[in-house]
Amino acid sequence: MRAMVYRGPYKLRVEEKDLPTIEHPNDAIVRVTLAAICGSDLHLYHGLMPDTRIGHTFGHEFIGVVEQVGPSVENLQVGDRVMVPFNIFCGTCWFCARGLYSNCHNVNPNATAVGGIYGYSHTTGGYDGGQAEYVRVPFADVGPVRIPDWMSDEDAVLLTDAVPTGYFGAQLGEIVEGDVVVVFGAGIVGLVAARSAWLMGAGRVIVVDHLEYRLETARSWAKAETFNFAEYDDIVVEMKKTTGHLGADVAIDAVGAEADGNLLMHLSGVKFKLQGGSPIALNWAIDSVRKGGTVSVVGAYGPIPNMVKFGDALNKGLTLRMNQTPVKRQWPRLFEHVRNGHLTPSELVTHRFPLEHVAEGYHVFSAKLDGVIKPLVVPGAA
Amino acid sequence: MAYTPQKPPLPETTEQLKARIPFWGVDLDPADRPSVPKLQWQEDLSGAHWEVPDQQPERHGPRERSIEHASITPVFGTAQPLHGVSGAIRRHAYARFSEARLAHWLLLIAGDRVEATGAHLRSFATLRPDNPVTETGVLAEAGAHPVASRRGRVDARHQTIDPVLVAGPWVAGAAVTWLGLRRVVRAVRR
């Protein structure tokens, strides 16, 4: 089969690989029909994630058709059109039984601090991902769901990570009516978080980024106020000024490890890997929120320590909430929101790359060229 | 200016927000939010029909694992089994240091770089050597408005470092190879 493979930091190519096989009785093999590149794939691409092995196939956002099922699979049949959450999870460990699917303890031998994720290095379990023609899907009775007939492929693939993660970011903010919510990052996760903040009754939603074309989408799609931090000497001071010098009630970090905005943090965290990424967006969130407020973190960070302003978080009495998103737990409500038009994720798709051109897709997304917000990868479309 | 008990007024009233944003407040009730509360017993176990999952066999030899786990997990990835020098470094990282230790992660990153270097070198002995031009995707620049897309951006100053980080090891490798070859040629001529 054809598959994207990692060849070292900033380098990848498409190769012929062996077809995945059933390794466990509850595995399925899925033929991928549509995949996406996630902002967090860029952390792997840039060599930020420890134990990213040569030959690894990335891709944790994908949909497809069930091609083969293991002997214990009961809930799926060959030919089913399925969407697969980015979390690999068992359904029955202490964490899964309580809904923490992203924290499953039965799928990742390589680490206890993170669950299983498709195509996201051996630190998250060593599973190849979906930027390929075929992918192994463990615990096929637990994770995947048949795509409803009314749902488009684009909406379905965006519901495997980006949309639930944005919505989850707003949810972690514990928003109450009238809250001032500031979202750092106007990528697709930040845009969905901003729009979801309105769903939860925010009184004011502010999006901060430095890419003007994304801020335009924040204004039009997420109906938010925007601040371009490049236009201000100190964005934290601006957040204070615009909130009567109290600070926002809720701040959401939808940026994660590759934040721009502070050269020292970017160089040490992103370029030279001396931290688990640049924590500048998280530090801005901590400093922009009011005392007693809530900081929600859905931007991804690596396992190496970061220079986070924890003293400020303590002294301000903040509530810090964060997790990888338990995707399937969000789905019933999000399916309603997509069907009712409250969330329209496919409007955020800007690019489609044939699998054979996936290297170009990564470069365009990484360098933020050509107005890119969300690139999709189409197997067999060369 | 003294701060008062009142929150500064919002720019829009609830009625104005509802008029501007038709979906405003549809999840105002936390009961409508799917992960509230965080820990919530899942009666359907998300479709699982077992309490103890079957154990996946270890087909590629003993699987490395975090020493914070009691044993190998019932299911695990088999994408790229450990091999060679990088495999030895990574196996040591897993066997000796918990996830709490920085040494664990630094050794894994060292393993990554060792494996990448070896893979690049080995690729030159194949019919498909690594090609930094096609594999970095920079050929996409031509059709992606490279100048206009970068104009006025705050990150432009460190984007100039990327080519150095990517091409630097290749240039250094080529220089070392050239110097070595020159020395060999000179030694042969003598």
Side-chain angles (χ1 to χ4, degrees):
Chain A
M1 68 164 182
R2 304 294 284 169
M4 165 265 150
V5 299
Y6 175 68
R7 293 294 303 169
Y10 293 85
K11 289 178 285 296
L12 51 89
R13 68 188 188 191
V14 176
E15 280 182 8
E16 205 59 35
K17 280 180 92 162
D18 290 341
L19 283 168
T21 55
I22 301 286
E23 307 253 6
H24 178 275
N26 209 249
D27 279 0
I29 305 300
V30 167
R31 176 170 56 81
V32 179
T33 53
L34 192 60
I37 306 175
C38 177
S40 58
D41 286 330
L42 299 178
H43 310 334
L44 298 168
Y45 175 59
H46 295 152
L48 266 171
M49 191 70 172
D51 210 357
T52 303
R53 300 183 188 172
I54 301 300
H56 198 55
T57 297
F58 301 166
H60 54 267
E61 301 183 357
F62 61 90
I63 61 169
V65 176
V66 177
E67 194 77 8
Q68 192 185 350
V69 292
S72 81
V73 174
E74 297 178 0
N75 301 336
L76 290 184
Q77 293 181 326
V78 171
D80 282 345
R81 182 173 161 257
V82 290
M83 50 205 291
V84 183
F86 79 85
N87 328 108
I88 300 169
F89 61 106
C90 72
T92 55
C93 69
W94 193 95
F95 305 98
C96 286
R98 289 159 180 80
L100 295 182
Y101 304 144
S102 49
N103 308 105
C104 178
H105 219 42
N106 271 335
V107 292
N108 180 7
N110 297 75
T112 57
V114 60
I117 301 176
Y118 294 95
Y120 210 74
S121 83
H122 275 64
T123 293
T124 66
Y127 300 91
D128 269 336
Q131 289 164 14
E133 290 183 309
Y134 295 88
V135 62
R136 172 194 171 207
V137 173
F139 289 123
D141 278 333
V142 178
V145 160
R146 289 185 194 86
I147 301 173
D149 291 337
W150 54 266
M151 190 181 285
S152 72
D153 282 359
E154 285 77 8
D155 282 338
V157 79
L158 297 178
L159 279 160
T160 62
D161 178 357
V163 175
T165 297
Y167 180 86
F168 188 62
Q171 200 176 185
L172 290 177
E174 300 176 316
I175 295 166
V176 299
E177 184 171 353
D179 269 356
V180 176
V181 179
V182 56
V183 180
F184 289 95
I188 187 167
V189 170
L191 293 168
V192 173
R195 188 153 159 154
S196 300
W198 292 125
L199 294 174
M200 295 171 200
R204 193 177 170 201
V205 179
I206 300 165
V207 175
V208 176
D209 202 297
H210 70 102
L211 295 169
E212 197 48 52
Y213 72 92
R214 291 188 181 183
L215 291 173
E216 172 55 39
T217 306
R219 291 188 287 272
S220 59
W221 190 84
K223 306 180 186 311
E225 295 171 54
T226 61
F227 280 73
N228 184 334
F229 71 73
E231 294 174 2
Y232 302 97
D233 178 53
D234 186 334
I235 192 63
V236 170
V237 173
E238 295 308 314
M239 291 300 101
K240 293 289 169 63
K241 283 182 188 170
T242 195
T243 54
H245 293 271
L246 292 187
D249 299 295
V250 176
I252 300 172
D253 170 6
V255 181
E258 306 214 28
D260 285 301
N262 180 296
L263 192 59
L264 176 66
M265 290 293 185
H266 191 86
L267 290 180
S268 62
V270 182
K271 301 301 184 200
F272 298 112
K273 321 330 184 196
L274 301 175
Q275 306 185 60
S278 162
I280 191 65
L282 177 54
N283 286 341
W284 283 348
I286 288 169
D287 285 332
S288 298
V289 78
R290 68 163 161 76
K291 285 176 263 194
T294 300
V295 171
S296 155
V297 188
V298 284
Y301 292 90
I304 290 175
N306 294 85
M307 288 195 274
V308 175
K309 299 189 73 178
F310 211 78
D312 285 1
L314 166 73
N315 292 326
K316 293 175 75 169
L318 301 186
T319 299
L320 305 181
R321 299 207 60 198
M322 63 208 84
N323 202 352
Q324 297 275 357
T325 308
V327 169
K328 196 174 175 185
R329 198 164 161 192
Q330 319 302 309
W331 273 353
R333 189 64 174 165
L334 288 180
F335 284 14
E336 290 176 32
H337 286 326
V338 170
R339 192 164 201 181
N340 294 332
H342 299 154
L343 294 173
T344 52
S346 58
E347 291 175 4
L348 300 174
V349 173
T350 54
H351 290 68
R352 297 171 75 94
F353 292 93
L355 176 60
E356 295 297 324
H357 293 278
V358 71
E360 283 91 331
Y362 270 81
H363 180 75
V364 166
F365 196 29
S366 171
K368 302 179 181 74
L369 304 178
D370 200 30
V372 66
I373 293 177
K374 188 64 179 177
L376 302 184
V377 176
V378 190
Chain B
M1 182 189 88
Y3 298 112
T4 62
Q6 286 77 32
K7 188 173 167 176
L10 293 166
E12 293 173 283
T13 65
T14 300
E15 285 64 38
Q16 287 170 321
L17 285 170
K18 282 179 177 171
R20 182 168 73 88
I21 304 166
F23 47 83
W24 183 90
V26 299
D27 285 346
L28 188 57
D29 184 350
D32 288 327
R33 304 178 191 176
S35 285
V36 179
K38 176 165 79 171
L39 297 177
Q40 207 174 76
W41 185 259
Q42 305 294 307
E43 204 55 51
D44 67 348
L45 297 176
S46 195
H49 43 84
W50 54 80
E51 190 169 308
V52 180
D54 293 326
Q55 178 64 49
Q56 178 181 330
E58 293 184 56
R59 295 201 176 106
H60 304 277
R63 177 67 157 72
E64 76 282 0
R65 66 170 171 85
S66 166
I67 55 174
E68 294 179 47
H69 266 307
S71 59
I72 196 76
T73 50
V75 164
F76 51 88
T78 54
Q80 287 81 37
L82 295 176
H83 67 96
V85 177
S86 64
I89 294 169
R90 286 162 169 155
R91 196 172 288 284
H92 180 63
Y94 282 108
R96 173 69 184 83
F97 299 107
S98 78
E99 298 158 59
R101 306 279 291 275
L102 187 58
H104 175 87
W105 302 109
L106 295 180
L107 278 170
L108 289 177
I109 287 198
D112 291 354
R113 301 299 177 259
V114 167
E115 188 189 27
T117 306
H120 292 326
L121 294 176
R122 280 194 302 279
S123 79
F124 294 123
T126 69
L127 293 173
R128 196 181 178 195
D130 277 318
N131 180 337
V133 176
T134 57
E135 291 179 8
T136 52
V138 292
L139 293 175
E141 289 270 339
H145 310 101
V147 177
S149 294
R150 290 185 172 91
R151 191 172 294 135
R153 273 168 49 179
V154 72
D155 58 340
R157 53 187 173 172
H158 64 66
Q159 279 200 7
T160 54
I161 297 169
D162 290 350
V164 177
L165 284 177
V166 176
W170 293 81
V171 173
V176 168
T177 306
W178 184 75
L179 288 171
L181 284 174
R182 194 174 67 168
R183 184 167 289 183
V184 169
V185 168
R186 283 179 178 170
V188 168
R189 279 182 182 163
R190 280 186 205 134

